[in-house]
Amino acid sequence: MDLNALEYQASVDRRAAVDRSSETELRLATSLCELARGLIATRTDGSPRDRTAEALEPAQQAVEIRLHWFSAGLVSARLAGEIQDALRIFDQAARAVGHRELATTTIRRACDVYRRVAHAYPHGAAMCADALAKCGVWLLRLDPATAVAANEDATRIRAGLFAADPAQATKYLAALNTLLRTLTIGRQRKQALSTYRERYSSWTTPEMTKQLREIKIADLDLTAKTLAALTKLDCRTLQGAGRLTQQQILYQSAGDLATIEEINWKLALVGLKPLAAGAMPDQPSRPMEIATSFGALSVRCSAPDAVKQVRAAVLAAYEADGARLVQSSNYLGVHEKHWSVPAPELNAETVLGDDVVLIERGSGSWVAVKSLAWEVAPAGSHPLALRLAERWPVLSVTATEQMSYELCWYQDGVPTQYAALGRPAGAVTLDTPLAPLDFAVLADYGADYASETQVRAAFGNIGMFAKLTELPSSGIRQAAEARALAEYGEDVLFFRSA
């Protein structure tokens, strides 16, 4: 990009704009935008000097010129788009050089123009609402309070358009969605919802609310999974979605907790209550369904930095047994591409040594710890589980393909409870007999819709059991099949015995 040519063109157009006509001034604004874009590009295109700071003046002047003519009555979609383009270039330059106050002031001024134009020129109200919403996005990191005000005005304008034209329902709903998301930034969700409901009730008549709730599911901005779940349940409107329960989403469709959250968000937009947990009859016990072999530990830690704490505890446990942390290329002495995940075998060793451990945040307050060497350990004698259980409750999960499913609960550094289906790998031979596993605790720790009876009924059906309890449904071998273990970054640890 030839900056000399851009500067020359801007100077030519500036001289031509002395007549103060809309045509020549808007042409100058276009040249200034191109010049600002070229100056910003010097930061990354290998130019000998970074001239990004010089882009501020032409970019701001382009914004001011276009805003002037927009407010003077040249209200068109084209000019509205050009203003947004100029603001985007200006915002980019301001962020690059750290001029937060200048950026905030300029975008605020643009918002004021959009408000005046929307009031004075009704045919431009829709484009002003869209522009205000975009300015709200830019202002979120600069001035959250002004960002909220911009989105409130955009939504208020959309409310007026919707009141006059029922065909504007989906656009009003989209504006409401943006407003609620803006309100949640830096606020507790309960507080954000309270503020949102107050604004919503002041702009939306009962008739408008009725129309919003009758919007077809197919016309909503939903993910494919949520749309498929609602379609399978023969739900056609938001009003109909509000009559469903969490149980129906989870048991009668392919939906999951994310699906429930997405539906609840849409329901909140139109003043409907979130999905009830539901009271479907407890399901009968399902047949054994263990498709793959794996082993994993699930650590109950609710701290915000749970993964960091568990990782430190795992490092300490291996170091105490003389195993040191190494790079992936040093594990087994060769690069990972030269070794493979072995078949799962019972490891009765009680001292930690050569191993690969994957640590992942699970659902709820569970942290999954997946060991390669101790993927399968005798029930009640898993050395890593015993160490971690000194600080947190730990549940070991061991599945043998088409054969058995075992759970062992460790607490205060010792095994305490046990449950198994099928033919476990070996008899439990401990000095102190283990108590039966308390499925009620698993139900309490699991999904909020799961009852103890449902958890018991799903035991042995790994997919459903994991869904209800939020326990791991796979181990490190499945993770290795998905991608090279070294690619998991800080989540994977390689150990070698000293």
Side-chain angles (χ1 to χ4, degrees):
M1 189 175 294
D2 188 348
L3 283 178
N4 290 330
L6 293 175
E7 289 173 332
Y8 175 75
Q9 185 62 51
S11 65
V12 170
D13 290 338
R14 191 182 298 279
R15 286 194 295 272
V18 294
D19 63 359
R20 298 295 184 185
S21 67
S22 61
E23 182 180 353
T24 57
E25 286 209 336
L26 290 175
R27 189 183 305 124
L28 171 60
T30 300
S31 298
L32 292 171
C33 274
E34 290 301 319
L35 174 58
R37 187 180 284 111
L39 291 168
I40 292 172
T42 60
R43 175 176 285 246
T44 57
D45 65 0
S47 298
R49 184 162 64 93
D50 181 1
R51 300 179 61 185
T52 304
E54 298 176 40
L56 275 173
E57 183 177 350
Q60 186 181 25
Q61 189 175 2
V63 171
E64 296 293 349
I65 291 172
R66 287 173 172 172
L67 285 173
H68 166 74
W69 287 108
F70 192 67
S71 63
L74 293 182
V75 182
S76 67
R78 178 179 177 179
L79 182 53
E82 290 174 345
I83 294 172
Q84 291 299 297
D85 184 51
L87 278 169
R88 180 183 57 78
I89 295 170
F90 171 74
D91 180 66
Q92 188 177 357
R95 279 191 291 113
V97 297
H99 280 279
R100 291 175 58 91
E101 291 185 8
L102 180 61
T104 304
T105 302
T106 302
I107 298 173
R108 280 177 184 163
R109 189 154 53 246
C111 290
D112 291 338
V113 169
Y114 292 134
R115 292 183 181 102
R116 291 198 303 272
V117 170
H119 178 73
Y121 303 94
H123 70 279
M127 61 186 79
C128 288
D130 293 339
L132 280 166
K134 181 62 177 177
C135 287
V137 174
W138 283 325
L139 286 166
L140 269 176
R141 60 182 175 78
L142 299 169
D143 186 349
T146 306
V148 170
N151 274 292
E152 286 180 344
D153 287 326
T155 309
R156 186 184 297 108
I157 293 170
R158 280 291 178 192
L161 294 171
F162 173 39
D165 180 10
Q168 298 287 320
T170 54
K171 291 186 177 180
Y172 180 44
L173 189 65
L176 290 170
N177 182 70
T178 302
L179 174 60
L180 181 53
R181 293 199 180 280
T182 303
L183 288 169
T184 58
I185 303 298
R187 292 180 177 86
Q188 294 291 332
R189 180 160 182 170
K190 186 175 181 180
Q191 179 190 3
L193 281 171
S194 176
T195 304
Y196 172 82
R197 287 168 184 153
E198 180 183 341
R199 305 290 190 273
Y200 175 85
S201 61
S202 66
W203 303 326
T204 316
T205 65
E207 180 59 30
M208 292 165 66
T209 294
K210 181 181 178 182
Q211 293 176 45
L212 289 173
R213 293 177 180 180
E214 292 302 321
I215 292 177
K216 294 180 180 179
I217 292 298
D219 295 334
L220 297 175
D221 182 22
L222 297 172
T223 61
K225 177 180 283 189
T226 299
L227 181 60
L230 293 174
T231 301
K232 185 173 183 179
L233 293 171
D234 196 27
C235 179
R236 301 179 183 180
T237 65
L238 271 176
Q239 185 79 50
R243 300 190 190 101
L244 299 175
T245 65
Q246 295 182 30
Q247 295 278 9
Q248 288 176 286
I249 297 296
L250 294 162
Y251 284 97
Q252 298 179 15
S253 76
D256 53 19
L257 295 179
T259 305
I260 292 172
E261 177 63 24
E262 184 176 4
I263 294 172
N264 283 341
W265 180 275
K266 296 294 185 185
L267 295 177
L269 291 179
V270 294
L272 291 171
K273 294 180 179 179
L275 297 179
M280 291 177 61
D282 291 327
Q283 301 294 310
S285 295
R286 297 170 177 266
M288 287 277 288
E289 189 175 311
I290 305 173
T292 57
S293 298
F294 71 90
L297 302 179
S298 213
V299 182
R300 180 73 182 176
C301 180
S302 58
D305 61 342
V307 173
K308 182 179 179 180
Q309 289 190 32
V310 172
R311 186 179 188 273
V314 169
L315 284 169
Y318 280 85
E319 289 174 358
D321 283 358
R324 59 187 178 88
L325 186 66
V326 297
Q327 298 294 321
S328 60
S329 57
N330 297 118
Y331 180 73
L332 299 182
V334 294
H335 191 274
E336 183 176 350
K337 65 183 179 181
H338 298 299
W339 55 274
S340 59
V341 176
E345 294 183 358
L346 185 69
N347 186 349
E349 291 291 332
T350 58
V351 177
L352 298 170
D354 294 355
D355 200 1
V356 183
V357 180
L358 180 63
I359 304 171
E360 297 177 310
R361 164 71 79 175
S363 300
S365 296
W366 292 111
V367 176
V369 178
K370 303 174 181 181
S371 163
L372 180 62
W374 278 269
E375 185 179 25
V376 181
S381 302
H382 196 301
L384 184 55
L386 291 168
R387 303 289 181 83
L388 295 177
E390 294 174 0
R391 291 186 58 183
W392 307 283
V394 176
L395 187 67
S396 68
V397 180
T398 306
T400 305
E401 184 176 357
Q402 303 300 335
M403 184 178 295
S404 66
Y405 189 59
E406 298 176 81
L407 303 177
C408 186
W409 185 273
Y410 297 78
Q411 192 151 6
D412 298 326
V414 296
T416 58
Q417 300 174 12
Y418 176 80
L421 278 179
R423 292 174 294 161
V428 179
T429 55
L430 298 171
D431 295 336
T432 303
L434 299 179
L437 185 64
D438 188 349
F439 284 91
V441 172
L442 289 187
D444 290 340
Y445 287 167
D448 60 6
Y449 56 84
S451 69
E452 178 185 355
T453 305
Q454 289 166 341
V455 171
R456 285 183 179 277
F459 184 47
N461 184 287
I462 291 178
M464 181 56 68
F465 193 75
K467 198 173 188 179
L468 294 172
T469 62
E470 300 176 341
L471 294 174
S473 59
S474 62
I476 196 168
R477 66 183 54 256
Q478 287 76 26
E481 290 171 0
R483 55 187 167 130
L485 290 173
E487 294 180 9
Y488 286 88
E490 292 185 352
D491 292 337
V492 68
L493 305 174
F494 295 85
F495 295 101
R496 288 285 286 168
S497 297

